[in-house]
């Protein structure tokens, strides 16, 4: 959190690599008038020794099959995995559709060359968002002490009711894929509930994974 970083700096502790907290002023300045790309993302500095775990939640429900939204989201997952690899962060990917959520990639050091498991992902069925939140909560409880946890939810928000923010999570980012004629605005409402940041998927450019 911003206050935590500021207090740390005032105490004179050494700062390490960029944290999982986005610096939106620097990010938007880097983006300019074009579409947001992973290379535009700037992060605040974090204290030395802090470990970051990014939990990426991928909505694979039936509504994400319309308008190539799932292909678009898979391209975002691929881009994020490359970003986290370059930052030497840890990540996990959790897909949710049908009856329950399931791990597509369990927590571990982010790696390159993820196309082989991201591209074949398919979707359909209901949107078991609470199952995904429960899995996040369990992962946070098991994480080593001092781990910074960021949640990235990629969804069109076609679920109700809206889940509560999982405890112990430091930052939440919701990539909004809603594109229907009737906008429900649930991603924005969820971001407000969670105290997180909602980013329209359109800012991430066109789909890059089939």
């Amino acid at each position: 959190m911003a206050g935590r970083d500021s207090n740390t700096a005032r105490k004179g502790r050494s700062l390490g690599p960029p944290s999982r907290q986005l610096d939106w002023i620097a990010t938007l300045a880097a983006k300019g008038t074009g579409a947001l790309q992973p290379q535009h993302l700037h992060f605040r500095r974090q204290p030395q020794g802090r470990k970051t775990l990014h939990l990426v939640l991928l909505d694979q429900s039936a509504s994400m099959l319309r308008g190539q939204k799932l292909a678009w989201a898979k391209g975002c997952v691929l881009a994020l995995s490359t970003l986290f690899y370059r930052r030497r962060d840890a990540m996990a990917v959790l897909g949710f559709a049908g009856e329950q959520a399931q791990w597509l990639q369990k927590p571990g050091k982010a790696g390159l060359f993820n196309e082989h498991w991201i591209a074949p992902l398919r979707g359909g069925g209901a949107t078991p968002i609470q199952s995904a939140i429960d899995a996040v909560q369990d992962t946070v409880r098991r994480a080593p002490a001092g781990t910074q946890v960021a949640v990235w939810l990629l969804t069109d928000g076609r679920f109700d009711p809206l889940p509560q923010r999982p405890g112990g999570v430091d930052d939440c980012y919701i990539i909004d894929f809603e594109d229907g004629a009737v906008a429900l605005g649930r991603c924005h409402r969820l971001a407000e509930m969670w105290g997180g940041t909602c980013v329209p998927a359109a800012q991430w450019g066109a789909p890059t994974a089939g």
Side-chain angles (χ1 to χ4, degrees):
M1 301 179 186
R4 183 186 305 174
D5 289 344
S6 298
N7 291 338
T8 298
R10 282 196 295 268
K11 291 178 182 179
R13 291 173 57 185
S14 59
L15 295 178
S19 73
R20 78 280 175 258
Q21 294 179 314
L22 281 177
D23 182 338
W24 279 106
I25 294 178
T27 294
L28 293 176
K31 182 181 84 70
T33 59
L36 181 65
Q37 299 294 334
Q39 61 267 26
H40 296 147
L41 300 182
H42 285 68
F43 292 80
R44 299 192 182 103
R45 308 297 291 183
Q46 70 176 1
Q48 281 281 15
R50 288 282 178 89
K51 302 297 183 181
T52 304
L53 171 60
H54 300 274
L55 301 178
V56 181
L57 280 55
L58 175 63
D59 186 348
Q60 297 175 260
S61 63
S63 65
M64 289 289 287
L65 299 181
R66 295 191 288 271
Q68 288 193 317
K69 288 184 287 187
L70 182 56
W72 200 342
K74 289 192 294 181
C76 287
V77 173
L78 183 60
L80 287 172
S81 68
T82 301
L83 173 67
F84 301 151
Y85 168 79
R86 290 172 178 169
R87 290 167 40 78
R88 301 299 186 262
D89 285 342
M91 73 174 293
V93 182
L94 188 69
F96 58 100
E99 297 296 324
Q100 63 182 12
Q102 62 176 344
W103 291 108
L104 304 176
Q105 183 182 71
K106 292 187 176 181
K109 185 177 179 181
L112 286 176
F113 311 114
N114 296 292
E115 296 93 337
H116 69 283
W117 64 266
I118 294 177
L121 294 176
R122 297 293 178 261
T127 315
I129 182 65
Q130 189 58 53
S131 176
I133 299 302
D134 291 344
V136 167
Q137 190 69 79
D138 183 63
T139 302
V140 171
R141 283 195 296 264
R142 296 170 181 269
T147 300
Q148 302 291 302
V149 180
V151 169
W152 299 74
L153 174 59
L154 282 59
T155 182
D156 59 1
R158 297 287 166 162
F159 46 76
D160 191 47
L162 300 181
Q164 294 297 314
R165 171 176 171 147
V169 170
D170 295 279
D171 289 286
C172 301
Y173 303 102
I174 300 173
I175 312 301
D176 183 4
F177 288 86
E178 184 176 45
D179 64 352
V182 179
L184 301 179
R186 287 177 181 156
C187 290
H188 289 277
R189 285 160 49 200
L190 188 63
E192 291 178 354
M193 283 178 54
W194 286 9
T197 301
C198 184
V199 181
Q203 293 193 13
W204 290 77
T208 57

